[in-house]
Amino acid sequence: MYVRRTSFKDSDYIRKDCERVKKYICLLSRGDPLVVGRVVGDVLDPFTRLVSLRVTYGQREVTNGLDLRPSQVLNKPMVEVGGDDLRNFYTLVMVDPDVPSPSNPHLREYLHWLVTDIPATTGTAFGNEMVCYESPRPPSGIHRMVLILFRQLGRQTVYAPGWRQQFKTREFAEMYNLGLPVAATYFNCQRENGCGGRRT
Amino acid sequence: MLSSAKHNKINHSAFSISSSSSSSSTTSASASSTSSSLGQNKSQVTMEEVWKEFNLGSLHYHRQVNIGHEPMLKNQNPNYSIFQDFLNMPLNNQQPPQPPSSSSIVTALYGSPLPLPPPATVLSLNSGVGFKFLDNTDSLVASNPNSFEESASFGCFAKKRGQFSDESRGDRRHKRMIKNRESAARSRARKQAYTNELELEIAHLQTENARLERQYEQLKMAEATQHQVNKTLQRSSTAPF
């Protein structure tokens, strides 16, 4: 919201902006997709978005709750990290909290990708891929694939775990002093010939 | 306190239950160390006293009613002094404390961990007269598990009937219902989350669109005014000749 000398037309714009911003805030507080989809809860603690995060698989940009099939997420996506100071480094974690099945997630979570030392305003191509990208192939059910961005305290302060299963994002963040996430997004993934949750 | 009729009945039942009866009669009549049938008269008298004191009627009653009442026994007072007294009876002719003596005997045997005194007395009795006492307690122990087993099996009676009983079918259906409910809730959450995300996107895109439109109009206006200023032709620098 910016303040300037307004003409009749401008005030209209500003009023509409106010409404939209109010709606935006209202939606975020009541129905933040990360909360409604239980990503905040199952995987993360409530946090505030501080840095922009854009994940793109091919031509498709990932929005929360987007449905993608394994064929569409075969290769690692392009990730653009926001921020302003190139001296800040970020860690990107990609986990599946619904392994092996969302109704019985006893192997929660499965680590698909870990990239550290990403400088602000750049992307994963400039980071250190500690755990290489494993394309999601959920055997049963509709899994949420969550991408989380943390701000590192310094460079080379984060290390890879020994295995991908039973990964705990909260514990991982605590172990390496990553604090709360600065950004997160998720999409849904199911078997290639899954019925999309609809039986008819 | 027992009536004589009851007493006789108990005597009979006590005698009918083979080992326990004989051993109990012998133990109770340890003063008269004869087997049941022979010294019955004499032993009956002493037995009467003893049985009266032990309130065996309650024990017999417990035996019959015990099926399904296992917890009742456990809750009752494990009074070890009573057990001790029971063991010490033939030696001291002491009067053990009253009512739930028999049941407490059983609890002392089963429910709670026995403290040191009873084993000590057991050991002391082992050598002497009370050896038959041990048999008595053993037989008591032996006979009672039957009732316990029955009570235990009574609980899973339905399971024993087979897999396709009503209970397991209901359980499975119930579990399935819960799973379905959870799955439906997840599905609704998924749908709602996506809808919210789309609405947020719309709001965001609309704001940006409005901003860009305004910027465009501004630029257009600025360009128009600039054109007005620069309408006249002017000579600009060309080749240097």
Side-chain angles (χ1 to χ4, degrees), chain B residues 107-169:
Chain B
T107 34
L109 287 171
Y110 284 100
S112 353
L114 294 173
L116 280 175
T121 51
V122 166
L123 284 171
S124 64
L125 285 171
N126 248 339
S127 52
V129 185
F131 189 66
K132 283 167 188 166
F133 236 93
L134 264 183
D135 292 333
N136 177 33
T137 54
D138 281 344
S139 57
L140 256 178
V141 171
S143 57
N144 268 316
N146 293 330
S147 64
F148 283 158
E149 271 174 310
E150 281 174 60
S151 59
S153 59
F154 193 72
C156 46
F157 185 61
K159 254 191 194 169
K160 277 193 173 176
R161 275 283 146 140
Q163 276 181 335
F164 306 106
S165 67
D166 290 326
E167 276 191 21
S168 68
R169 231 187 290 144

Side-chain angles (χ1 to χ4, degrees), chain B residues 36-48:
Chain B
S36 52
S37 51
L38 280 175
Q40 194 162 356
N41 282 333
K42 260 192 194 171
S43 58
Q44 240 180 4
V45 174
T46 44
M47 248 178 70
E48 222 171 27

Side-chain angles (χ1 to χ4, degrees), chain A residues 2 4 9-10 13 17 20 24 27 31 33 36-37 63-66 102-103 142 186 188, chain B residues 179 182 186 189-190 192-194 196-197 199-201 203-204 206-207 210 213-214 217-218:
Chain A
Y2 52 92
R4 56 189 282 278
K9 226 173 164 185
D10 283 333
Y13 278 121
D17 271 351
R20 277 191 213 106
Y24 192 81
L27 270 174
V36 174
T63 51
N64 291 322
L66 181 70
S103 55
I142 301 179
Y186 82 101
N188 293 317
Chain B
K179 265 184 118 180
E182 284 172 8
R186 270 200 309 276
R190 219 182 304 136
Q192 187 66 39
Y194 191 51
N196 285 5
E197 174 71 20
E199 286 180 1
L200 276 171
E201 278 277 311
H204 179 244
Q206 278 174 340
T207 341
E213 266 185 15
R214 220 173 316 152
E217 280 194 24
Q218 267 179 359

